[in-house]
């Protein structure tokens, strides 16, 4: 996977957390679209309301459509939670917020058969004094379930850089060893030449080379 989706996911998480701490702020963040088999997958569905429209009754309906199939209801929130009999029975968990701006659900122990299109329908009836307008919105999530998590672009680049660094350090170490070996060899050769030259000097010259001792 590329680095941009990974960065987008991290940014989305920060925005969601920030929205949770600031009750007056709501950010409609798209859900992730890839899950790993055997993990838990949160299907993110956020529908923001204006501050003056917070007082409202909300109905949430979740549908699942397999590839080439039809939409089938899997979960509903209508003042209380209700899970429909389906392939997800016992594996759906409500993750909605108290203000009903986040109406997400989590699929537990995701399987390869859970790939497909998930639809989140939100119906709000706003409670104004004069009238009660109703607004609806929908979110589509195209989910793909894979057997194993793939390496993202950043980890691949880091691994390549690590190998390049190891090769560079190995070459540098070899160059240093060759340099030190040549330096030691030259020093040994110079010492041998000096010893040979000294042995080649006649004995009388050696005596003349001796330093006189003062009495």
């Amino acid at each position: 996977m590329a680095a941009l989706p990974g960065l987008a996911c991290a940014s989305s998480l920060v925005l969601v957390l920030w929205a949770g701490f600031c009750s007056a702020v709501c950010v409609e963040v798209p859900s992730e679209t890839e899950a790993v088999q055997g993990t838990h997958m949160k299907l993110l569905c956020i529908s923001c309301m204006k501050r003056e429209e917070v007082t409202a009754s909300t109905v949430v309906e979740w549908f699942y459509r397999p590839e080439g199939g039809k939409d089938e209801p899997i979960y509903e929130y209508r003042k209380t939670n209700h899970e429909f009999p389906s392939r997800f029975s016992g594996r759906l968990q409500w993750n909605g917020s108290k203000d009903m701006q986040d109406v997400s659900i989590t699929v537990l122990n995701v399987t390869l058969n859970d790939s497909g299109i998930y639809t989140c329908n939100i119906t709000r009836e706003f409670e104004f004094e004069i009238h009660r307008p109703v607004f609806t919105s929908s979110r589509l999530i195209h989910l793909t379930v894979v057997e194993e998590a793939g390496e993202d672009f950043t980890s691949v680049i880091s691994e390549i850089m690590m190998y390049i660094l190891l090769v560079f350090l190995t070459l540098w170490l070899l160059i240093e060893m060759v340099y030190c070996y040549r330096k030691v060899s030259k020093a040994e050769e110079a010492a041998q030449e000096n010893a040979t030259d000294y042995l080649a000097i006649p004995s009388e010259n050696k005596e003349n080379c001796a330093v006189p001792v003062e009495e």
Side-chain angles (χ1 to χ4, degrees), residues 31-35 41 141-145:
S31 176
E32 294 185 18
T33 58
E34 185 174 292
M41 177 63 186
I141 303 173
H142 297 258
L143 181 65
T144 301
V145 181

Side-chain angles (χ1 to χ4, degrees), residues 74 164 166:
I74 59 174
I164 292 176
L166 288 175

Side-chain angles (χ1 to χ4, degrees), residues 112-199:
L112 295 176
N113 293 329
D114 295 339
S115 297
I117 300 176
Y118 295 80
T119 304
C120 172
N121 292 335
I122 306 102
T123 303
R124 299 192 194 278
E125 182 180 356
F126 299 102
E127 301 175 2
F128 294 109
E129 294 182 359
I130 301 177
H131 63 296
R132 291 174 175 260
V134 177
F135 294 91
T136 61
S137 60
S138 295
R139 304 286 185 273
L140 291 180
I141 303 173
H142 297 258
L143 181 65
T144 301
V145 181
V146 297
E147 294 183 359
E148 296 180 356
E151 290 185 305
D152 57 56
F153 184 75
T154 304
S155 63
V156 172
I157 292 298
S158 300
E159 189 173 351
I160 292 175
M161 293 300 295
M162 181 186 67
Y163 284 125
I164 292 176
L165 181 60
L166 288 175
V167 172
F168 173 77
L169 291 175
T170 302
L171 291 176
W172 178 78
L173 182 60
L174 289 174
I175 292 173
E176 285 293 319
M177 291 176 64
V178 172
Y179 172 77
C180 292
Y181 175 77
R182 290 182 176 181
K183 188 174 182 180
V184 172
S185 298
K186 288 182 179 180
E188 291 179 351
E189 290 176 0
Q192 290 178 357
E193 289 179 359
N194 291 335
T196 302
D197 293 340
Y198 180 79
L199 293 175

Side-chain angles (χ1 to χ4, degrees), residues 15-123:
L15 290 174
V16 171
L17 292 176
W18 180 54
F21 285 109
C22 303
S23 59
V25 178
C26 178
V27 181
E28 296 188 4
V29 182
S31 176
E32 294 185 18
T33 58
E34 185 174 292
V36 180
Q37 181 181 11
T39 62
H40 300 339
M41 177 63 186
K42 182 176 182 178
L43 302 175
L44 195 62
C45 182
I46 297 177
S47 179
C48 297
M49 295 182 291
K50 296 180 181 180
R51 184 178 302 176
E52 65 270 19
E53 297 174 347
V54 171
T55 303
S57 59
T58 303
V59 175
V60 182
E61 298 172 308
W62 278 93
F63 295 87
Y64 168 74
R65 186 200 315 164
E67 184 177 355
K70 298 181 179 180
D71 286 335
E72 55 183 76
I74 59 174
Y75 203 89
E76 181 183 76
Y77 180 89
R78 194 185 298 265
K79 294 185 178 180
T80 59
N81 302 325
H82 175 66
E83 182 178 344
F84 292 95
S86 66
R87 70 179 69 192
F88 303 97
S89 296
R91 294 194 297 123
L92 296 179
Q93 177 178 303
W94 174 254
N95 288 128
S97 59
K98 292 182 178 180
D99 59 9
M100 297 302 295
Q101 299 200 84
D102 183 354
V103 291
S104 307
I105 61 173
T106 296
V107 181
L108 306 177
N109 193 22
V110 176
T111 67
L112 295 176
N113 293 329
D114 295 339
S115 297
I117 300 176
Y118 295 80
T119 304
C120 172
N121 292 335
I122 306 102
T123 303

